[in-house]
Amino acid sequence: MPLFQNATFYISAHNLSDLPPPAGVEVAFAGRSNAGKSSALNTLANHNRLAYVSKQPGRTQLINFFSLGNDRFLVDLPGYGYAKVPEAMRKHWQMTLANYLSHRSTIAGLVLVMDCRHPLTPLDRQMLDWFGPSGRPIHILLTKSDKLSRQAANQTLQKVRKELNETWGNCTIQLFSSLKKQGVEEAEGIIGQWLFTPEENIPDTMA
Ligand code: GDP
């Protein structure tokens, strides 16, 4: 059974004050608008519409919590970097993301979703700078890998991995395609270790 098969919508927050009190374990998903974050979440949950795949980038301006049961949560953060977002909203979200990623004690790890054709944008680096100092792990999904030849995708993987190791450390990285369902087990393996202790009754795919 896919790792996140039982994910259900839990709560949406517009402000940090709307977040549920920190309890349990969260894995946060961040990424530039249109990078493929909603598709990746839906693929990992084996669910077509868990996270809304937006046709208008920049529209999802809420922090969405999905419950996996037992106080485990996936947290879908608002996509950033969409040029048409009004300045006041952009500032609000930048501050909210900075605060959440820098101070939320229950985040076990950050999944950063990047389009493999446009990796490490300045705002992606900003996310890494905010979360990196926590010392907690970061996993990068280089999405839409089906859009590149195998050789080009692997070259990108090596290049981005090198820069991550040199600059931030404690990062893992992989290719991912929601379209081709590529990289699903690898992602589940890493994220599952953040969410579940070995003693817990983890889903079959992890055994
Ligand atoms: P988000 O804004 O980061 O949540 O991105 P979405 O998940 O809404 O995806 C943005 C666009 O990229 C949509 O048109 C998706 O169909 C497309 N997309 C997402 N993942 C993939 C993928 O793995 N391969 C391809 N070819 N397209 C994808």
Side-chain angles (χ1 to χ4, degrees):
M1 187 177 84
L3 181 57
F4 307 140
Q5 180 103 325
N6 293 328
T8 51
F9 177 76
Y10 184 69
I11 203 172
S12 281
H14 182 70
N15 293 300
L16 290 173
S17 54
D18 305 329
L19 292 179
V25 185
E26 294 166 22
V27 170
F29 283 71
R32 179 174 173 234
S33 283
N34 216 38
K37 175 164 57 70
S38 308
S39 303
L41 272 162
N42 288 336
T43 299
L44 290 168
N46 199 19
H47 191 314
N48 284 339
R49 287 185 61 85
L50 182 72
Y52 180 60
V53 178
S54 63
K55 293 295 153 231
Q56 253 178 300
R59 263 193 68 178
T60 325
Q61 295 292 336
L62 292 166
I63 299 178
N64 289 316
F65 278 66
F66 300 100
S67 171
L68 302 172
N70 214 9
D71 278 337
R72 305 302 202 277
F73 300 96
L74 303 179
V75 182
D76 185 14
L77 297 170
Y80 45 80
Y82 182 54
K84 289 187 186 160
V85 171
E87 181 66 9
M89 193 191 274
R90 197 180 60 73
K91 282 208 169 125
H92 166 77
W93 280 111
Q94 217 151 316
M95 271 184 51
T96 305
L97 284 174
N99 263 310
Y100 174 79
L101 290 174
S102 309
H103 300 305
R104 180 88 169 168
S105 58
T106 36
I107 310 177
L110 170 67
V111 177
L112 187 56
V113 178
M114 305 193 291
D115 186 323
C116 65
R117 296 163 303 171
H118 315 287
L120 287 175
T121 65
L123 286 169
D124 293 331
R125 292 166 190 272
Q126 182 79 83
M127 299 298 133
L128 292 163
D129 285 342
W130 283 329
F131 188 71
S134 72
R136 282 169 261 165
I138 299 164
H139 187 58
I140 313 281
L141 297 182
L142 287 177
T143 55
K144 310 192 193 181
S145 62
D146 56 279
K147 297 263 193 189
L148 292 179
S149 69
R150 184 183 291 222
Q151 192 192 12
N154 279 323
Q155 275 171 359
T156 304
L157 180 67
Q158 304 310 335
K159 192 165 164 253
V160 179
R161 179 180 280 142
K162 184 163 180 278
E163 183 164 355
L164 288 168
N165 286 338
E166 283 167 5
T167 313
W168 291 279
N170 211 9
C171 294
T172 47
I173 183 167
Q174 67 162 104
L175 296 169
F176 192 87
S177 166
S178 296
L179 189 72
K180 303 278 186 201
K181 307 271 181 281
Q182 187 202 348
V184 175
E185 285 190 10
E186 189 177 351
E188 286 178 337
I190 302 250
I191 301 165
Q193 282 173 26
W194 296 349
L195 285 164
F196 304 101
T197 61
E199 300 79 47
E200 284 177 305
N201 195 10
I202 55 176
D204 292 347
T205 48
M206 305 294 307

